[in-house]
Amino acid sequence: MKVELQNLTKIFPSRNKKSGEEVIAVNNFTFTIPDGKLIGLLGPSGCGKSTTLYMISGLQKPSGGKIFFGDDDVTELAAENRGVGLVFQNYALYPHMTVKQNILFPLQNLKGADKLSKDEMLDRAYNAAKLVQIDELMDRKPSELSGGQQQRVAIARALVKMPKVLLLDEPLSNLDARLRLQTREEIRRIQKETGITTIFVTHDQEEAMSISDMIVVMKLGVVQQIGKPQEVYDDPTNLFVAKFLGTPPINVFEGEVKGEKLYIGDAAVLDVAGVDDQPVTVGIRPEGFVLDPDGPLTCNLNSVEVMGRDVSVVSTHAASVNPTVRSIIDADNQVATGATVRYSLKPHKVFLFSKADESRIYFGVKSDG
Amino acid sequence: MVESKHKWKAWLYLAPAIILLIVFTVWPIINTVRMAFLEGYNQTAVVGGATYSFGIGNFTKVLEYKGFLTCLGNTMLLCVLTVPLSTILALLIAVCLNAIKPLQRLLQTIFFLPYVTNSIAIGMVFAAMFNMVGTAFGGENELIITSGIINNIIEFFGGVPINWINSGSSYAANMVVMVVYIVWNALPFKILILLGGLQSINKQYYDAAKVDGTPGWRVFSRITVPLLSPMLAYVVITGFIGGFKEYSSIVGIFGEDMGPAGEPGKLNTMVGFIYDSLVTQQGRASAAALILFGIIFVVTMLNMYVSKKKTHY
């Protein structure tokens, strides 16, 4: 089922009546989620991603805009009639019911033509349980399950009624690191097997990038960028998106463009064709540095962290906005243990942003080899 | 550990409470048991030098005494009628209160008022409300006939006034008044506990139920009630314990005669029986108190047993 959001807006009235300041949680969100895709809503806390999810679920009413499931306008439809499956951040499993009763619960609510016989219900509950691999835990209470197992039960409960859309609110935030890795692959697998359009909310960019077909990066209620994870990573539209995606995070420098050359400090580090002279903010991905004894960018070497596959070089630079500059280079490279380290830069890993509004300034790369 | 070093200090700090408990709780309990097993024990006679032999005569006498069975019957009936009724009503009111936003605080306060009001005073108001005929008032020839407000309402709707509590009233009418009064009096505490319980239920359960299209009655029966079951169990258990100790409510409405004019003791309860025996027959009173304790103990155990099976903690 295709999900279409048109100018979706949510305004929360101010708590303080005197100041009358409203909070715009979601501002003019327009996006069409293609059928059968896994979409990650990504942003820091308070960016409106959960509010968007709850508006799609019907638990919150939009202040403006429209929501379509397929061709049906569901904006005014109550949550119970939308046919969505929702997995809550802390799962909200009914603690007094067994796993089986929890999964059966949505089925027992079906009325009229959708009403199922007892056997059909059990059948579907067991199928859903098998899908998330908890069919052996059916008679346990939620309190007797681990976090990961509870998560699976919550997903099974959301899937059992065969929802048109599956919504997951921070599905992995309550799991430990190892389980998180495993579960996110699991969510991907389940989504692929069922083909249900799935939207999930996360503040963890790695999580979103790793399993989503598309990611939506949000900030203060405004969508910053929508695209395939790799595209957004490789081609951020503004400084916020560039900073938000990637671990280790992007290195940010104060720089200046003079005569189509980018200066960081006094050194001209890169040719930037087609950019007017102006001060700029420079973002350089950690993997955008190349060790080069004659390289234009000279940093003071702090430490070298060996991580097996590759090496992380921590250094400082006067023009760096962050306290340290972190680069990641292949472990085959020998890092000189001098006082300074010199780099040349990979042009496609370097992004320029306007000082005024942090938007991206594109530059042409000279193709001289 | 630190505690072993200053054990005497701990005892010192506990001493005031322990001494008071021993003097006013532990010793009276022991003394009650002692008096219950001394045949025909009478405090005033003890002062005169009387001695008593050990035996279970007090208990057999209590059980044989016809008035005791009336008291036991009244108490049981009041418990069985008022506890379920007040619990169900309190649950409904608490759920409704929890569902509304405006006026919630105000209504909560209003519902809580009976709790902080003297039960004898409330009883007198109830007695006035359920009155049949007025009393002679003022001078010799002045007779003002007043009907209670309840009978006024019945008359307004064209009904025949009922003799609720006055001389010659029926047992059923008396019981209705008592049940209404006790339920009304028991509501505030129960509403308070249940409302507190409701407010501590995670809202996400309701959101989850809503997304799954759960009808309201099913949300209530499958989610609210089970999640509220620890509070319900608490309210029922304390309700039964309180119900078995019912006394002042009857005094409030019928006075110390414990019944309508001309029929003293008609609505007497276990505690009333103990009170009546206390003046001259401390042995019998003690035995009755122990019997009451035994009944409460058994009923509470039964309650706990049932609630353990039905309660989700």
Side-chain angles (χ1 to χ4, degrees):
Chain A
M1 180 80 49
K2 173 184 85 171
V3 177
E4 197 174 340
L5 311 178
Q6 282 182 2
N7 308 93
L8 196 63
T9 301
K10 178 73 185 179
I11 297 169
F12 289 110
S14 159
R15 293 215 169 188
N16 183 348
K17 279 186 185 143
K18 268 184 198 162
S19 73
E21 261 179 76
E22 294 167 329
V23 178
I24 303 172
V26 178
N27 196 352
N28 221 356
F29 189 166
T30 300
F31 178 42
T32 302
I33 297 162
D35 183 29
K37 295 290 185 201
L38 181 62
I39 305 297
L41 289 182
L42 178 63
S45 57
C47 73
K49 54 193 192 301
S50 286
T51 309
T52 306
L53 195 79
Y54 283 116
M55 284 195 285
I56 298 172
S57 78
L59 288 175
Q60 283 186 3
K61 232 177 117 55
S63 315
K66 284 191 182 307
I67 302 168
F68 292 89
F69 285 1
D71 295 323
D72 303 328
D73 183 350
V74 297
T75 317
E76 296 299 322
L77 212 57
E80 51 264 44
N81 301 325
R82 286 196 189 183
V84 297
L86 179 56
V87 176
F88 290 87
Q89 187 169 359
N90 37 21
Y91 318 138
L93 297 176
Y94 307 122
H96 54 288
M97 298 184 198
T98 61
V99 169
K100 197 199 294 181
Q101 289 168 327
N102 262 290
I103 299 176
L104 281 173
F105 195 81
L107 296 180
Q108 290 160 343
N109 292 331
L110 297 175
K111 292 178 283 221
D114 301 331
K115 210 168 158 94
L116 298 171
S117 75
K118 279 219 162 110
D119 290 338
E120 285 172 309
M121 285 192 210
L122 270 180
D123 239 33
R124 273 174 64 172
Y126 271 97
N127 283 339
K130 275 205 191 91
L131 186 68
V132 297
Q133 297 165 351
I134 47 151
D135 46 321
E136 280 166 14
L137 307 169
M138 290 296 257
D139 293 317
R140 300 241 198 120
K141 289 271 179 76
S143 57
E144 296 162 340
L145 301 178
S146 70
Q149 290 168 332
Q150 288 184 30
Q151 162 80 286
R152 286 155 190 258
V153 177
I155 294 175
R157 186 176 66 178
L159 285 175
V160 74
K161 56 178 181 178
M162 301 183 182
K164 296 172 191 156
V165 181
L166 179 63
L167 306 170
L168 306 150
D169 186 12
E170 300 266 4
L172 307 174
S173 63
N174 282 358
L175 304 176
D176 63 52
R178 184 182 292 265
L179 209 51
R180 206 174 295 170
L181 220 66
Q182 199 186 330
T183 310
R184 76 184 191 201
E185 279 153 25
E186 196 80 337
I187 290 174
R188 185 57 171 157
R189 176 184 68 80
I190 293 163
Q191 194 272 331
K192 278 226 167 106
E193 270 181 46
T194 57
I196 294 174
T197 309
T198 304
I199 304 164
F200 81 104
V201 153
T202 179
H203 59 267
D204 183 344
Q205 52 90 19
E206 206 182 317
E207 204 173 293
M209 303 240 309
S210 58
I211 61 170
S212 309
D213 290 316
M214 280 179 117
I215 57 172
V216 178
V217 184
M218 296 179 75
K219 177 195 175 190
L220 297 172
V222 182
V223 174
Q224 305 292 310
Q225 193 170 0
I226 298 173
K228 290 191 173 128
Q230 194 63 47
E231 285 172 10
V232 178
Y233 180 82
D234 287 338
D235 193 9
T237 52
N238 60 34
L239 182 60
F240 173 81
V241 175
K243 281 209 274 204
F244 200 76
L245 296 184
T247 38
I250 197 163
N251 298 290
V252 183
F253 296 88
E254 301 291 352
E256 202 179 353
V257 175
K258 270 188 281 189
E260 301 205 327
K261 278 185 186 301
L262 171 65
Y263 287 84
I264 292 178
D266 298 329
V269 292
L270 204 65
D271 292 331
V272 285
V275 182
D276 297 336
D277 289 5
Q278 59 183 306
V280 291
T281 306
V282 187
I284 306 172
R285 292 272 180 220
E287 66 273 22
F289 296 91
V290 181
L291 277 183
D292 183 351
D294 307 315
L297 185 66
T298 308
C299 296
N300 299 314
L301 184 63
N302 269 20
S303 61
V304 178
E305 291 169 9
V306 181
M307 296 185 295
R309 187 159 35 90
D310 37 35
V311 172
S312 171
V313 180
V314 182
S315 56
T316 54
H317 191 279
S320 172
V321 174
N322 310 354
T324 58
V325 177
R326 188 179 278 271
S327 68
I328 292 187
I329 50 180
D330 209 71
D332 299 338
N333 289 301
Q334 284 294 315
V335 182
T337 49
T340 59
V341 60
R342 299 188 68 156
Y343 299 110
S344 57
L345 302 174
K346 296 179 188 166
H348 64 283
K349 293 288 179 186
V350 178
F351 312 122
L352 301 188
F353 302 100
S354 151
K355 277 267 184 201
D357 58 3
E358 298 194 340
S359 63
R360 178 87 178 271
I361 302 168
Y362 292 90
F363 60 86
V365 180
K366 266 191 206 163
S367 51
D368 54 6
Chain B
M1 296 284 264
V2 188
E3 69 210 54
S4 57
K5 226 175 177 182
H6 298 292
K7 238 177 190 167
W8 62 272
K9 263 193 181 171
W11 284 112
L12 181 71
Y13 297 146
L14 286 171
I18 288 176
I19 290 167
L20 286 174
L21 275 173
I22 288 172
V23 172
F24 292 107
T25 305
V26 178
W27 169 241
I29 289 173
I30 295 169
N31 209 15
T32 304
V33 175
R34 186 181 71 94
M35 290 190 296
F37 286 99
L38 290 175
E39 301 280 6
Y41 183 88
N42 183 332
Q43 186 83 44
T44 35
V46 170
V47 180
T51 52
Y52 299 96
S53 60
F54 188 78
I56 55 163
N58 288 326
F59 289 92
T60 51
K61 255 189 214 135
V62 166
L63 293 175
E64 281 166 7
Y65 190 63
K66 204 171 149 258
F68 176 77
L69 292 180
T70 312
C71 296
L72 186 63
N74 286 338
T75 310
M76 293 278 203
L77 190 59
L78 282 176
C79 272
V80 170
L81 290 175
T82 59
V83 174
L85 198 59
S86 62
T87 306
I88 290 166
L89 272 178
L91 179 62
L92 292 179
I93 293 172
V95 168
C96 291
L97 267 180
N98 195 38
I100 57 166
K101 275 257 161 62
L103 297 182
Q104 193 194 40
R105 294 266 158 180
L106 178 74
L107 288 172
Q108 217 175 316
T109 311
I110 292 172
F111 279 113
F112 196 64
L113 275 179
Y115 194 70
V116 292
T117 315
N118 184 305
S119 64
I120 300 283
I122 300 172
M124 289 168 81
V125 173
F126 265 73
M129 284 168 66
F130 282 96
N131 214 351
M132 173 70 180
V133 286
T135 44
F137 184 77
E140 283 172 303
N141 299 320
E142 190 181 6
L143 189 70
I144 299 173
I145 305 297
T146 57
S147 217
I149 192 164
I150 302 292
N151 276 333
N152 282 335
I153 292 170
I154 291 175
E155 280 176 322
F156 180 81
F157 287 105
V160 182
I162 296 166
N163 186 354
W164 294 108
I165 54 172
N166 298 95
S167 174
S169 55
S170 69
Y171 184 71
N174 296 162
M175 265 298 157
V176 168
V177 176
M178 286 320 303
V179 168
V180 169
Y181 169 71
I182 293 170
V183 166
W184 185 78
N185 208 8
L187 278 180
F189 179 71
K190 292 189 164 81
I191 292 172
L192 190 77
I193 297 287
L194 295 180
L195 192 60
L198 282 174
Q199 284 169 350
S200 67
I201 294 177
N202 191 338
K203 295 271 178 296
Q204 282 206 330
Y205 296 133
Y206 294 110
D207 280 346
K210 200 173 172 202
V211 169
D212 290 339
T214 320
W217 58 270
R218 228 170 97 84
V219 173
F220 179 76
S221 64
R222 294 285 309 271
I223 297 173
T224 305
V225 170
L227 290 177
L228 207 57
S229 55
M231 283 75 185
L232 283 169
Y234 173 75
V235 159
V236 168
I237 290 171
T238 54
F240 267 106
I241 293 173
F244 274 107
K245 298 199 289 186
E246 208 59 67
Y247 173 65
S248 59
S249 53
I250 293 145
V251 174
I253 288 183
F254 292 101
E256 279 184 80
D257 280 347
M258 305 296 278
E263 295 174 278
K266 186 182 176 189
L267 291 165
N268 206 352
T269 61
M270 299 280 287
V271 173
F273 179 87
I274 296 167
Y275 264 48
D276 292 344
S277 315
L278 215 50
V279 187
T280 54
Q281 292 287 332
Q282 287 92 359
R284 206 166 74 191
S286 300
L290 285 187
I291 291 170
L292 177 60
F293 172 78
I295 292 172
I296 292 178
F297 185 79
V298 169
V299 169
T300 305
M301 283 294 130
L302 215 69
N303 270 329
M304 301 261 252
Y305 176 76
V306 174
S307 67
K308 209 169 244 165
K309 287 197 152 176
K310 297 273 175 198
T311 306
H312 161 79
Y313 285 100

